[in-house]
């Protein structure tokens, strides 16, 4: 059995710092211009990775559900709702649900905007600085600048971000080339635009991580469950 001291995950630390806000300012703050090779990166469409439709262990996070390929050693749910999963061979996963409330904890969110919470994160993978000129609304511009700033923080140069569709879900996933055996994913639903899911893994093969990401389904539950019960 593993003690808690063995469960430190580099990926989780990075996500907590970068993806949940990372800049403590009012929304009048103008995010720095994204600079570097990663700022021009957009996701590349890929065939949906192989994945299981049935599994012994399922993670339900609000309206999002994922299938685990093997029984976990331990599962923790934090007070904020994040879920951490640890396996026998030392690999681990974290699942986080992002909403306007969670994003506003560090950075006050615009009260009015034409963009949803899901839009604000999906822009990281679909937009570049060339898209700024067409935005006239100041709140919309703030959200787009934030997305581009995070793009520069998230992706090392020469990163390849993959994009796949599954029913009404959009999946963005990548293997972080600046760290060893660390993978990330963002998952959005066309029907659920007020929230999205972030996933990270540590010491897990990229193919196994992709399989879990691609197992996404919609659920009405908010719990961790075993099997189909």
């Amino acid at each position: 059995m593993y003690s808690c001291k063995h469960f430190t995950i580099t990926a989780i630390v990075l996500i907590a710092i970068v993806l949940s806000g990372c800049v403590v300012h009012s929304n009048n703050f103008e995010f720095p211009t994204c600079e570097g090779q990663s700022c021009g990166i957009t996701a590349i469409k890929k065939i949906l990775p192989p994945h299981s439709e049935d599994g012994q262990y399922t993670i339900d996070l609000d309206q999002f559900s994922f299938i685990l390929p093997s029984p976990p050693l331990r599962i923790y749910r934090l007070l904020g709702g994040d879920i951490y999963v640890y396996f026998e061979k030392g690999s681990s996963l974290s699942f986080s649900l992002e909403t306007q409330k969670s994003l506003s904890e560090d950075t006050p969110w615009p009260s009015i905007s034409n963009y949803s919470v899901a839009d604000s994160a999906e822009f990281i993978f679909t937009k570049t600085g060339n898209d700024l000129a067409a935005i006239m609304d100041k709140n919309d511009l703030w959200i787009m600048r934030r997305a581009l700033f995070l793009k520069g923080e998230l992706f090392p140069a020469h990163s390849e971000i993959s994009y796949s569709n599954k029913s009404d879900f959009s999946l963005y996933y990548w293997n972080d080339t600046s760290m060893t055996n660390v993978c990330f994913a963002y998952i959005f639903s066309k029907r659920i635009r007020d929230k999205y899911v972030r996933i990270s893994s540590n010491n897990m093969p990229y193919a196994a991580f992709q399989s879990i990401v691609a197992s996404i389904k919609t659920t009405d539950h908010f719990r961790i469950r075993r099997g189909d019960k």
Side-chain angles (χ1 to χ4, degrees):
M1 302 291 285
Y2 291 87
S3 65
C4 291
K5 67 180 181 180
H6 293 121
F7 294 146
T8 301
I9 306 174
T10 304
I12 295 172
V13 175
L14 176 66
I15 286 179
I17 295 173
V18 175
L19 307 186
S20 296
C22 78
V23 178
V24 182
H25 288 288
S26 73
N27 57 24
N28 293 322
F29 173 78
E30 184 173 337
F31 287 94
T33 301
C34 185
E35 298 179 347
Q37 293 177 328
S38 63
C39 296
I41 292 174
T42 55
I44 300 171
K45 184 70 177 290
K46 296 290 183 68
I47 297 173
L48 187 69
H51 59 281
S52 174
E53 292 293 343
D54 298 295
Q56 286 188 324
Y57 286 82
T58 302
I59 296 292
D60 290 343
L61 184 61
D62 197 74
Q63 295 170 270
F64 302 86
S65 181
F66 302 89
I67 295 173
L68 302 182
S70 61
L73 175 65
R74 290 176 180 166
I75 299 178
Y76 298 97
R77 185 191 293 275
L78 301 188
L79 292 177
D82 291 0
I83 297 174
Y84 296 90
V85 182
Y86 303 98
F87 298 95
E88 287 284 356
K89 295 184 179 180
S91 60
S92 55
L93 291 164
S94 72
F95 297 84
S96 300
L97 184 72
E98 291 290 14
T99 63
Q100 182 171 325
K101 180 181 179 181
S102 65
L103 294 175
S104 298
E105 290 178 357
D106 294 321
T107 309
W109 205 254
S111 58
I112 300 174
S113 173
N114 293 306
Y115 299 140
S116 68
V117 168
D119 290 334
S120 73
E122 198 158 7
F123 288 157
I124 298 171
F125 309 96
T126 61
K127 304 296 184 181
T128 68
N130 295 333
D131 295 291
L132 290 172
I135 302 176
M136 305 303 295
D137 182 89
K138 65 177 183 180
N139 289 333
D140 293 350
L141 186 61
W142 183 90
I143 287 176
M144 182 68 76
R145 287 188 179 277
R146 176 183 181 276
L148 296 178
F149 171 77
L150 290 177
K151 179 195 292 284
E153 296 293 307
L154 273 176
F155 307 139
H158 310 298
S159 295
E160 180 176 293
I161 315 303
S162 297
Y163 160 67
S164 300
N165 286 326
K166 182 182 181 183
S167 60
D168 70 326
F169 292 105
S170 299
L171 319 176
Y172 298 87
Y173 47 96
W174 69 101
N175 187 6
D176 195 312
T177 57
S178 65
M179 294 185 281
T180 303
N181 297 326
V182 174
C183 307
F184 297 103
Y186 276 49
I187 299 180
F188 307 92
S189 168
K190 293 179 181 178
R191 297 186 297 105
I192 307 168
R193 303 307 291 174
D194 62 340
K195 65 193 73 171
Y196 61 92
V197 173
R198 294 186 286 103
I199 310 175
S200 71
S201 70
N202 191 49
N203 292 326
M204 178 177 290
Y206 188 36
F209 177 74
Q210 292 178 72
S211 177
I212 295 171
V213 171
S215 73
I216 178 68
K217 293 182 179 179
T218 301
T219 180
D220 294 327
H221 305 290
F222 182 65
R223 58 193 173 94
I224 302 172
R225 60 192 172 95
R226 178 176 178 174
D228 297 323
K229 297 179 181 180

